[in-house]
Amino acid sequence: MQRWPVKLPITCYAERLRPTETLSTGIRSVDTFFPVAVGGTYCIPGPFGAGKTVIQHQTSQYADVDIVIVAACGERAGEVVETLREFPELKDPKTGRTLMDRTVIICNTSSMPVAAREASVYTAVTLAGYYRQMGLNVLLLADSTSRWAQALREMSGRLEEIPGDEAFPAYLESVIAGFYERAGRVRLKDGTIGSVTIGGTVSPAGGNFDEPVTQATLKVVGAFHGLSRARSDARRFPAIDPLDSWSKYRSVIEQPRVEAMRAVLRKGADVEQMMKVVGEEGTAMDDFMVFLKKELIDAVYLQQNAFNEVDASCSVERQRAAFDVLEQIVNAPFAYADKAAARRAFLQLQQAFIDWNNTPMGVDEYETRRAAVLARVSEAPHA
């Protein structure tokens, strides 16, 4: 047995390194548009039911790390029980063994005392630091930091401390910053490299990102994966909003190419809002084509099918191949006779692309379906 006070970070290393290497999570929208770095920090705020816990479970199964630590901080008991039942049955894609063999779960449900809820997050990050000292890459998932902050608020009230915004303690920002600062990539004294990557979910009431916990978190994290109620209701999963989210880390695709694709998404969203007012018939053909391209990017790249074994996790190599083809489609100067023909052609193209997404790499059918997508692009009428 070893003892260590959980609120003191473990600093027994030679050098702290900058988080420059991209962490592969298997989620296309994250790795390409809003990447997370090895040893970095990120947050997933969103309204209840938007899929925060599901994204964390997907990340814990497919992320390229050695150890996963899940801090179920104030979660509903049903969600913790579901995790405990599912993880032993899930297969770790790296080792082929059960996912539970590399996972540590700190169970602290909302029915437990608030002092235990406050300590559970620190317990998790201390365990993460312990494994980092072994030269391992650790992913810490805190679900949810909002309930941790609520525990801080309740304890602060009992101690009769001066309240801050929305009755949270005045030192809320510094406490949240102190927690996320314990992430990092370090060189140990024997020369090996270890890292702790921290991802926390935030559950703002009503999906209001202006509340204190979300704002305090945004000031210190390196990536923001904001979940959208509109995308969740439309069953577009993962429901990460491509316009509101951001990241300071390096993508698996060159940054200028990513920005060009995001520009198409932004312009397409503007056209979509305009179409709600003037209707499809009042929209210019050029604008309508931008809208169709935006919908295609959303359907075939931003969305993933978690029930499909192939599409549930997308490797970096596969993301680059798909992005190359998508770039050719977006840059192609299509010239359809009318909007009905354009919509019909893009729906067929979308289905061909999804069929390609669902095909494993390394089989003959993979190249055949890729060629089928490119054939539809080359055979379409061009200006």
Side-chain angles (χ1 to χ4, degrees), residues 74-352:
E75 271 301 310
R76 291 179 288 273
E79 289 189 8
V80 178
V81 170
E82 185 181 337
T83 303
L84 291 170
R85 283 179 177 168
E86 280 185 4
F87 274 42
E89 297 175 5
L90 294 174
K91 187 172 76 171
D92 180 3
K94 288 179 69 176
T95 62
R97 296 159 59 185
T98 172
L99 196 62
M100 207 66 185
D101 286 352
R102 64 164 184 145
T103 307
V104 179
I105 302 175
I106 312 293
C107 295
N108 184 260
T109 60
S110 51
S111 59
M112 294 182 180
V114 289
R117 194 185 306 175
E118 188 232 5
S120 63
V121 168
Y122 290 112
T123 304
V125 76
T126 302
L127 283 171
Y130 171 76
Y131 285 113
R132 180 172 67 180
Q133 290 301 110
M134 299 180 184
L136 300 174
N137 292 319
V138 187
L139 175 64
L140 167 60
L141 301 171
D143 190 9
S144 127
T145 56
S146 289
R147 296 191 179 97
W148 171 50
Q150 288 166 9
L152 290 172
R153 177 168 62 185
E154 193 167 334
M155 291 177 63
S156 175
R158 292 179 184 180
L159 293 171
E160 299 183 5
E161 295 173 343
I162 297 173
D165 194 12
E166 293 189 20
F168 285 105
Y171 49 81
L172 176 70
E173 288 191 8
S174 61
V175 171
I176 290 176
F179 166 64
Y180 281 102
E181 282 170 4
R182 291 177 70 169
R185 186 163 168 262
V186 299
R187 178 180 289 110
L188 303 175
K189 294 184 178 179
D190 64 354
T192 57
I193 306 291
S195 69
V196 171
T197 307
I198 297 181
T201 65
V202 188
S203 308
N208 174 27
F209 291 171
D210 293 328
E211 56 90 40
V213 180
T214 308
Q215 289 300 310
T217 305
L218 286 179
K219 291 177 181 177
V220 294
V221 295
F224 165 67
H225 301 160
L227 301 191
S228 161
R229 169 63 71 190
R231 286 184 66 82
S232 174
D233 290 345
R235 295 294 180 263
R236 298 187 174 196
F237 294 112
I240 299 171
D241 193 312
L243 304 180
D244 289 344
S245 304
W246 50 262
S247 175
K248 299 176 183 175
Y249 301 123
R250 188 172 62 189
S251 169
V252 296
I253 310 289
E254 293 79 5
Q255 199 59 36
R257 299 170 66 195
V258 174
E259 288 304 320
M261 199 66 77
R262 287 196 72 188
V264 175
L265 289 171
R266 279 192 293 269
K267 191 174 179 184
D270 291 341
V271 173
E272 186 177 15
Q273 293 301 316
M274 182 182 68
M275 286 171 60
K276 290 178 181 178
V277 179
V278 301
E280 190 175 304
E281 63 280 355
T283 307
M285 191 64 185
D286 289 346
D287 288 341
F288 188 69
M289 289 306 304
V290 173
F291 166 71
L292 289 180
K293 288 175 180 178
K294 170 254 180 190
E295 286 291 288
L296 181 74
I297 297 168
D298 196 331
V300 305
Y301 203 87
L302 297 183
Q303 296 177 49
Q304 274 178 260
N305 184 2
F307 295 103
N308 184 283
E309 287 186 4
V310 178
D311 200 37
S313 174
C314 191
S315 66
V316 172
E317 181 187 357
R318 183 160 192 151
Q319 288 181 49
R320 287 175 176 149
F323 197 89
D324 288 345
V325 174
L326 197 58
E327 216 170 27
Q328 291 184 45
I329 298 171
V330 169
N331 295 331
F334 295 112
Y336 291 101
D338 53 44
K339 291 170 185 170
R343 186 186 293 276
R344 185 166 55 251
F346 264 75
L347 285 174
Q348 293 170 350
L349 183 60
Q350 177 181 314
Q351 188 57 54

